[in-house]
Amino acid sequence: MSRGMFVTFEGLDGSGKTTQLRRLAAVLEAEGRRVVTLRQPGGTPLGDRIRAVLLDSKSEAEVGVIAPEAELALMFADRAQSLKQVILPALAEGAVVLCDRYTDSSEAYQGAGRGLGTERVLALHKAVCNDVQPELTVLLLPPLERALKRARRRNDREVKSSGTDEGRFEREGEEFYRRVHEQYEAIARREPKRVVMFAEEASIEAIGQRILEVVRERLRG
Ligand code: TYD
């Protein structure tokens, strides 16, 4: 049985991480590896319901403004469920698990963006997720301005085409995203072995190739 590996993808909304995750999954699957992909919040039936509450702008009309602490707790409820139901069983079977966002997102968005603080997020991670961390985190962090532009365009397109608005997070102001961006940089500095950061402007292909090299290296090691 080949060795399992837990890889997460992180970055601002509109950073291209979902595209890179899918490309990597396709390449590894073509090589005959078992690959499990999921996103957070979501990825389990319970998680999908939590996701709908957290991301749908309309849910604010139903449940009122979600308190930052409640938002954080819901993110971790989702994470605990996907660890137990999807991530840990897949790793035990030797799969490569590719997860679109994980605890770094909570540290960046709730910890820094909402101002709840890193300590609180990491304490919850320990308590709720048994401190399970990915072996590798691919952090796509292009310059802030570019990421913001893409996120806005995408949100407008989605509202027009499907009528649903998952844009609660994307309506946050620039200052919010600046704090998120800075926290991601801080995480990368703090954990250089786990976090591989792509901050430069490069083509999807070039970044994809580099990600593949890093993943292959780690799978060998
Ligand atoms: P999603 O639609 O998955 O977009 P993206 O492609 O940007 O990942 O949206 C997830 C949103 O949820 C995104 O704005 C970040 C936010 N989020 C948090 O604030 N904290 C978290 O712990 C996670 C997992 C996501």
Side-chain angles (χ1 to χ4, degrees), residues 60-156:
E60 243 168 46
E62 290 161 18
V63 300
V65 176
I66 299 172
E69 291 81 357
E71 180 178 88
L72 178 66
L74 285 169
M75 292 294 180
F76 272 104
D78 164 71
R79 191 160 296 131
Q81 186 71 12
S82 68
L83 266 175
K84 196 141 221 180
Q85 214 166 30
V86 180
I87 298 170
L88 295 177
L91 290 173
E93 286 173 10
V96 175
V97 176
L98 306 180
C99 192
D100 196 338
R101 298 193 178 281
Y102 191 67
T103 294
D104 294 330
S105 283
S106 296
E107 193 182 334
Y109 285 77
Q110 280 69 51
R114 303 263 189 246
L116 293 177
T118 283
E119 288 70 29
R120 218 178 324 184
V121 176
L122 296 186
L124 258 179
H125 184 67
K126 212 175 232 170
V128 175
C129 301
N130 210 12
D131 232 359
V132 174
Q133 278 289 24
E135 274 174 64
L136 172 68
T137 295
V138 174
L139 172 58
L140 297 175
L141 206 65
L144 184 64
E145 290 313 316
R146 211 188 73 183
L148 285 177
K149 230 183 251 164
R150 273 190 60 180
R152 287 209 189 92
R153 265 207 309 272
R154 186 182 61 168
N155 198 42
D156 290 348

Side-chain angles (χ1 to χ4, degrees), residues 14 33-34 36 52 64 84 119 129 134 161 168 178 199-200 213 221:
R33 278 186 191 278
R34 203 173 147 235
V36 171
K84 196 141 221 180
E119 288 70 29
C129 301
S161 68
R168 206 173 69 81
R178 202 171 300 283
E200 76 285 9
E213 281 162 19

Side-chain angles (χ1 to χ4, degrees), residues 1-2 24-35 94-96 216:
M1 191 173 76
S2 58
L24 177 64
V27 174
L28 295 176
E29 267 165 1
E31 290 174 354
R33 278 186 191 278
R34 203 173 147 235
V35 179
V96 175
R216 288 220 169 99

Side-chain angles (χ1 to χ4, degrees), residues 10-17 19-20 139-155 157 170 174 177-178 181 198-208:
E10 293 283 354
L12 291 198
D13 317 54
S15 59
K17 69 188 161 40
T19 305
Q20 292 295 351
L139 172 58
L140 297 175
L141 206 65
L144 184 64
E145 290 313 316
R146 211 188 73 183
L148 285 177
K149 230 183 251 164
R150 273 190 60 180
R152 287 209 189 92
R153 265 207 309 272
R154 186 182 61 168
N155 198 42
R157 252 198 330 268
E170 278 146 8
E174 311 247 337
Y177 282 104
R178 202 171 300 283
H181 200 273
F198 295 85
E200 76 285 9
E201 310 248 4
S203 68
I204 291 176
E205 286 72 25
I207 293 176

